[in-house]
Amino acid sequence: MTRKKKTALLSVALSAAMLASAFPAIAAPSNPNVEVNGKKLEFASNAPIAQDGTTLVPLETTFKALNISLKDTKNGTITAVINGKQVTLQAKAKTIDGVSYVPVRVIGEAAGYEVRWDATFNRVELTSKIVKEGGKGFLWEVKNGGNTVYLVGSMHIADDSFYPLHPSFEEAFAEADYLGVEVDVSKAADPDIQKLILQMGTYQDGTTLKDHISADTYKQVGEILTKNGLKADALDTFKPWVVETTLASLKSMEAGYEGSVGIDLYFVQKAMERKIPVIELESYESQLTMFNDFSKELQETNLKNTLTNFEMVDDSVDQMADMWKKGDDAALLELTKSFSQNEEYRKAMLDDRNKVMADKIDGYLKGTEKAEYFIVVGAAHYLGDTGIVKLLQDKGYTVTRK
């Protein structure tokens, strides 16, 4: 894959948290469903409940369905026999209307299932694990004064083949006091954020997309939309940077890569279940402002590159996924260097943001809490002369690849 093609597609891997939010969210049914190995789990009464981003299921019904024997729920602490072994679950039971509920992820993972949330169908999917080595991914460790920071290089979009993650990720996260992310993707559907996206990503002066890009580029947009079952003018109200990322997102979703399975959201959901704070190193406003401030020329260039390489988006994301699962540092560095083709793009997407994030991580390391931080940001932010790893090394820290 050429550098030009890589550069055209990097925003997909780094900023898919924004892609899923480009349009107002559609309200999902209040009660989620639960599937076990593709079969819907039936609840005669007391259906699952969505609460603060966590799906709670009635304890006794779910235990019976998963062949788990309940031993005790004293003071809410759940002791059960799973696969012949007595275990204590990491989350306490919660009584709602006289029924004991527990997070489905806690039950599923304790019973040896892979657990994922499918936002499209408003359901939690439990799948029996096939013995395999989890993706190696990218993980570094930094220590200072009793504080520990784990640095995780994420892919914001992923598929089920990324899981289970390598045990090193789960072991590090199990001890974390804080989860740090670029933005909390679980908040993407919040009304204020949806309003912000529409304010920045759409034209407010009566003009439309065709007034801001060449006739040839506009024609190509219409042709691709038509081929994908949409009206040629479906994205007319949106700016070129939204159109670019939306088209690339649609293609990658077609190949099975979604933000709902991304590394960021996986750990945000686990943080909610563990009830540990989620801290943002950036904000939705700062990320959207970055895209919105791209020059008119850069916005059209990025859009044209995505249009030209549209049929290869899924192949390119496949290559990035393979790189992540192998934990291939050399390939990641090559990918990062491809940003250098356009100075404006590189500075905005990486250099400026890396410095801000490295300074915040420096603050965590110098804190007096003696805490553990689990930081998850896009993988391309870490390597290279202006990457977070080098910036921290320049501050005097030892950064160890795990």
Side-chain angles (χ1 to χ4, degrees), residues 12-155:
V12 177
L14 290 176
S15 304
M18 298 290 98
L19 304 182
S21 311
F23 300 95
I26 299 174
S30 57
N31 292 328
N33 296 314
V34 178
E35 282 192 357
V36 179
N37 291 328
K39 183 178 181 181
K40 183 179 178 182
L41 187 58
E42 299 292 344
F43 296 89
S45 59
N46 304 315
I49 299 171
Q51 191 175 87
D52 298 327
T54 299
T55 299
L56 303 175
V57 290
L59 188 150
E60 293 187 7
T61 303
T62 308
F63 271 26
K64 183 177 180 180
L66 301 181
N67 295 315
I68 298 174
S69 298
L70 177 64
K71 297 290 290 183
D72 190 21
T73 57
K74 186 176 181 180
N75 297 322
T77 299
I78 306 165
T79 304
V81 176
I82 302 175
N83 298 326
K85 295 181 180 180
Q86 183 167 307
V87 299
T88 299
L89 297 189
Q90 293 183 352
K92 289 190 174 184
K94 178 181 292 188
T95 301
I96 302 174
D97 295 332
V99 178
S100 293
Y101 283 81
V102 68
V104 67
R105 182 178 294 277
V106 172
I107 296 179
E109 291 183 347
Y113 290 88
E114 293 181 13
V115 183
R116 69 180 292 267
W117 169 250
D118 189 327
T120 303
F121 296 100
N122 192 44
R123 69 189 179 204
V124 180
E125 299 174 350
L126 278 63
T127 307
S128 297
K129 289 183 180 178
I130 300 172
V131 178
K132 62 178 181 178
E133 182 180 354
K136 182 180 179 182
F138 300 96
L139 177 66
W140 295 266
E141 180 185 67
V142 193
K143 291 179 176 290
N144 183 68
N147 297 300
T148 300
V149 172
Y150 290 101
L151 303 170
V152 177
S154 173
M155 272 193 67

Side-chain angles (χ1 to χ4, degrees), residues 214-375:
S214 69
D216 182 60
T217 302
Y218 182 74
K219 180 182 178 181
Q220 283 184 271
V221 171
E223 289 173 349
I224 285 180
L225 288 173
T226 302
K227 286 180 181 178
N228 285 270
L230 299 170
K231 293 184 177 179
D233 61 356
L235 298 179
D236 269 18
T237 59
F238 293 93
K239 296 179 180 179
W241 64 267
V242 177
V243 178
E244 174 223 340
T245 52
T246 300
L247 290 176
S249 178
L250 290 172
K251 189 63 174 175
S252 59
M253 287 177 66
E254 182 182 303
Y257 296 96
E258 301 182 44
S260 62
V261 198
I263 307 301
D264 312 66
L265 186 56
Y266 174 79
F267 282 111
V268 167
Q269 290 172 333
K270 297 199 78 169
M272 289 178 176
E273 290 162 6
R274 284 189 52 204
K275 300 190 183 305
I276 66 172
V278 177
I279 52 180
E280 295 180 308
L281 278 70
E282 301 182 300
S283 67
Y284 275 94
E285 184 173 5
S286 68
Q287 286 200 357
L288 290 166
T289 298
M290 174 196 68
F291 284 112
N292 199 42
D293 285 350
F294 282 167
S295 66
K296 180 179 179 180
E297 293 75 21
L298 178 58
Q299 287 195 43
E300 179 155 8
T301 295
N302 288 344
L303 175 56
K304 287 174 68 175
N305 286 340
T306 296
L307 294 168
T308 301
N309 299 297
F310 185 73
E311 294 304 325
M312 294 183 289
V313 168
D314 46 1
D315 290 338
S316 300
V317 180
D318 280 341
Q319 291 180 38
M320 286 186 276
D322 185 62
M323 170 201 71
W324 193 94
K325 286 181 279 188
K326 289 179 179 177
D328 190 336
D329 289 52
L332 176 59
L333 181 58
E334 181 187 353
L335 188 68
T336 305
K337 285 180 178 178
S338 64
F339 274 92
S340 299
Q341 187 175 15
N342 184 290
E343 183 177 356
E344 179 189 354
Y345 191 58
R346 185 205 70 244
K347 185 176 185 298
M349 288 291 289
L350 291 185
D351 296 356
D352 293 346
R353 297 169 65 199
N354 291 352
K355 186 179 184 304
V356 171
M357 290 192 279
D359 287 345
K360 289 192 175 183
I361 293 166
D362 179 39
Y364 305 149
L365 288 163
K366 290 177 177 175
T368 59
E369 272 196 75
K370 299 189 185 304
E372 294 199 6
Y373 297 81
F374 193 85
I375 307 297

